[in-house]
């Protein structure tokens, strides 16, 4: 296990703090270092089973976990508190490690569970009877689909409800894919913002037979991809908040994670169609959207103030002083809310980790208009404040295509290059 004494090249707390954190980090692009970036088409670890925004590839997560030789032998517990589609939990399981994955988005957890399960004894998924009774009153899918199409989708959901949990997850992911296919016209140039039908005439009507064929094609695809090798360890995948983890103190040995970035991705809007399939209407129930870190909603209830370190505070002051509209109002509040959530998440990670734990973080810097958002520097500062020590210099990987590059309004301001950083910490004494 990594300790301050036996870790060559570890930076002391003082040295880590002395880094010019608010500026571009003096990280290294090590020759041969494995980039966390996912390849354009990633099939390893079932990454292609559903398009979820993942901060790193399956290969990267496995590679970093495989370096923990001592823990692999002793049977350690791995945590990803922003687990998304379960790349970390699957990588941990594949190495025989216990894994806990938390995410507040139930869509992510369905995908993560699907990837974690063994389908050797899979049940056959049968087409529902056309007479199956379902209720489609106030169905959140009305934002995209015509009533008769929703009725057929809900009949398929009923097949899932009457099946084993693993079959239900398989069918649910197939339905996520099928709904995405038929509602493609609601996706714009920004892949994280999904539009809704303007009126009933704008909703999508698919004949039952055609819909069945589409759904069955996706069921076949997902079935052909899922795992048929039982893992020795189960992954515990939970719908839970990283700010309040349902985990005992000191239970975790290794954290591998990528938190949401300060890039205004609204995970609830990005997955609004899949949430609707699960019965969550993000327009009438704002609680999920409000709870997600990085949300574009400003919470109404005042939260207890959390102390933010000097790099985060410097960023807040630059946003506040920016002369563009709403910078000192809405955008300042959104950044404050984000930094508060990041701090609370790091507080919780620190609580649930053992004193010998290691934490691997993948984070991406970004720009607020022309203001550099030094997320790697903020994380180093915040983690150091909580007793974590940066093990070696950050590995930095340039990012070519960002969400900002897809947004023509955001292009008004001149921006510098951004990079993704891999930060590895151990806990100081
Ligand atoms: C960058 S993604 C992680 C992707 C993940 N590495 C994967 O392989 O898919 C960040 C995740 O954080 C989740 N998230 C946001 N706020 C959260 C919160 N308060 N508690 C738990 N998860 C949250 C989002 O739903 C999203 O899935």
């Amino acid at each position: 296990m990594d300790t301050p004494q036996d870790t060559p090249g570890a930076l002391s707390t003082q040295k880590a703090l002395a880094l010019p954190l608010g500026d571009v980090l003096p990280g290294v692009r090590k020759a041969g270092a494995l980039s966390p970036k996912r390849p354009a088409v990633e099939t390893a670890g079932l990454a292609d089973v559903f398009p979820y925004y993942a901060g790193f590839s399956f290969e990267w997560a496995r590679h970093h976990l495989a370096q923990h030789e001592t823990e692999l032998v002793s049977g350690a517990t791995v945590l990803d508190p922003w687990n998304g589609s379960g790349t970390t939990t699957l990588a941990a399981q594949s190495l025989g490690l216990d894994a806990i994955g938390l995410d507040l988005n139930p869509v992510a957890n369905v995908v993560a569970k699907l990837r974690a399960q063994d389908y050797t004894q899979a049940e056959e998924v049968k087409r529902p009877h056309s007479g199956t009774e379902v209720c489609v009153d106030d169905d959140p899918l009305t934002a995209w689909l015509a009533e008769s199409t929703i009725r057929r989708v809900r009949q398929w959901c009923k097949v899932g409800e009457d099946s084993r949990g693993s079959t239900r997850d398989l069918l649910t992911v197939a339905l996520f894919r099928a709904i995405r296919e038929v509602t493609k016209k609601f996706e714009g140039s920004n892949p994280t913002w999904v539009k809704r039908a303007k009126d009933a005439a704008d909703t999508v009507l698919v004949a039952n037979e055609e819909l069945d064929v589409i759904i069955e094609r996706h069921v076949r695809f997902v079935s052909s991809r899922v795992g048929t090798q039982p893992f020795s360890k189960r992954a515990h995948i939970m719908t839970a908040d990283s700010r309040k983890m349902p985990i005992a103190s000191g239970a975790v040995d290794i954290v591998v994670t990528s938190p949401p970035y300060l890039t205004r991705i609204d995970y609830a809007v990005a997955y609004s169609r899949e949430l609707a399939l699960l019965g969550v209407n993000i327009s009438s129930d704002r609680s999920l959207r409000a709870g997600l870190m990085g949300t574009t909603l400003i919470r109404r209830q005042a939260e207890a103030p959390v102390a933010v370190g000097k790099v985060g505070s410097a960023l807040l002051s630059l946003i506040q002083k920016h002369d563009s509209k709403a910078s000192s109002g809405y955008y300042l509040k959104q950044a404050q809310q984000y930094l508060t959530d990041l701090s609370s998440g790091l507080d919780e990670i620190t609580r649930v980790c053992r004193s010998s734990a290691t934490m691997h973080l993948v984070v991406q810097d970004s720009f607020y208009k022309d203001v550099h958002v030094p997320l790697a520097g903020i994380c180093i500062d915040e983690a150091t404040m909580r007793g974590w020590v940066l093990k070696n210099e950050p590995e930095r990987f340039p990012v070519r295509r960002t969400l900002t590059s897809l947004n023509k309004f955001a292009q008004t301001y001149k921006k510098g290059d951004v990079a993704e950083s891999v930060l590895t910490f151990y806990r100081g004494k």
Side-chain angles (χ1 to χ4, degrees), residues 23 51 115 143 149 201 214 312 351 363 374 397 410 425:
D23 213 341
R115 294 170 79 186
T149 304
I214 293 172
R351 177 185 68 78
V363 287
F397 301 89
F425 300 90

Side-chain angles (χ1 to χ4, degrees), residues 119-136:
Y119 283 87
T120 320
Q121 311 276 325
E123 288 171 281
E124 198 192 336
V125 177
K126 293 212 186 86
R127 208 182 256 213
H129 297 293
S130 54
T132 309
E133 274 202 34
V134 286
C135 173
V136 295

Side-chain angles (χ1 to χ4, degrees), residues 219-386:
V219 168
R220 276 197 304 281
F221 171 77
V222 179
S223 306
S224 73
R225 302 287 298 116
V226 288
T228 49
Q229 271 186 337
F231 293 119
S232 59
K233 295 290 169 83
R234 254 190 78 211
H236 299 273
I237 290 156
M238 292 180 261
T239 302
D241 197 328
S242 55
R243 297 167 299 177
K244 216 171 176 216
M245 301 187 197
I247 302 174
S249 303
V252 171
D253 302 274
I254 308 168
V255 174
V256 175
T257 195
S258 176
Y261 307 146
L262 191 45
T263 47
R264 299 177 50 73
I265 293 187
D266 201 312
Y267 284 89
V269 176
Y271 298 101
S272 49
R273 292 166 293 178
E274 293 77 17
L275 284 165
L277 183 82
L278 298 181
V280 180
N281 186 341
I282 61 158
S283 298
S284 58
D285 177 0
R286 306 199 123 199
S287 56
L288 170 66
R289 215 179 139 200
L292 289 166
M293 178 173 165
T295 179
T296 52
L297 278 187
I298 304 299
R299 295 177 197 130
R300 292 203 187 101
Q301 275 161 343
E303 290 166 323
V306 171
V308 170
K310 60 180 189 307
V311 186
S313 303
L315 170 69
L316 292 177
S317 144
L318 287 175
I319 295 177
Q320 185 168 28
K321 285 191 221 134
H322 201 278
D323 54 11
S324 66
K325 194 166 170 247
S327 283
S328 59
Y330 169 80
Y331 290 105
L332 175 65
K333 282 196 199 129
Q334 202 244 342
Q336 271 167 336
Q337 189 171 276
Y338 174 87
L339 291 178
T340 302
D341 290 353
L342 179 68
S343 299
S344 307
L346 286 171
D347 277 342
E348 277 292 83
I349 291 176
T350 308
R351 177 185 68 78
V352 302
C353 276
R354 281 191 225 292
S355 57
S356 54
T358 306
M359 169 165 71
H360 303 275
L361 283 186
V362 174
V363 287
Q364 191 180 300
D365 289 2
S366 56
F367 275 84
Y368 166 69
K369 307 205 185 280
D370 49 358
V371 174
H372 176 223
V373 176
L375 189 54
I378 291 172
C379 287
I380 295 173
D381 190 25
E382 296 292 334
T384 306
M385 280 163 62
R386 289 163 175 81

Side-chain angles (χ1 to χ4, degrees), residues 52-54 82-85 87 103-105 240-242 258 267 291 293:
Y52 201 82
Y53 295 101
W82 294 285
N83 192 42
S85 58
T87 308
D103 205 288
L104 205 50
N105 181 358
D241 197 328
S242 55
S258 176
Y267 284 89
M293 178 173 165

Side-chain angles (χ1 to χ4, degrees), residues 16-78:
L17 271 173
L19 289 167
L21 300 169
D23 213 341
V24 174
L25 274 172
V28 283
R29 170 71 168 95
K30 276 197 216 131
L34 183 62
S35 167
K37 199 99 243 97
R38 294 174 67 189
V41 179
E42 187 188 8
T43 52
L46 273 71
D48 56 331
V49 84
F50 183 71
Y52 201 82
Y53 295 101
F56 42 78
S57 67
F58 175 73
E59 191 197 350
W60 181 89
R62 215 180 119 88
H63 170 80
H64 277 260
L65 283 171
Q67 290 176 346
H68 288 261
E69 286 162 29
T70 316
E71 288 92 334
L72 285 173
V73 176
S74 66
T77 297
V78 177

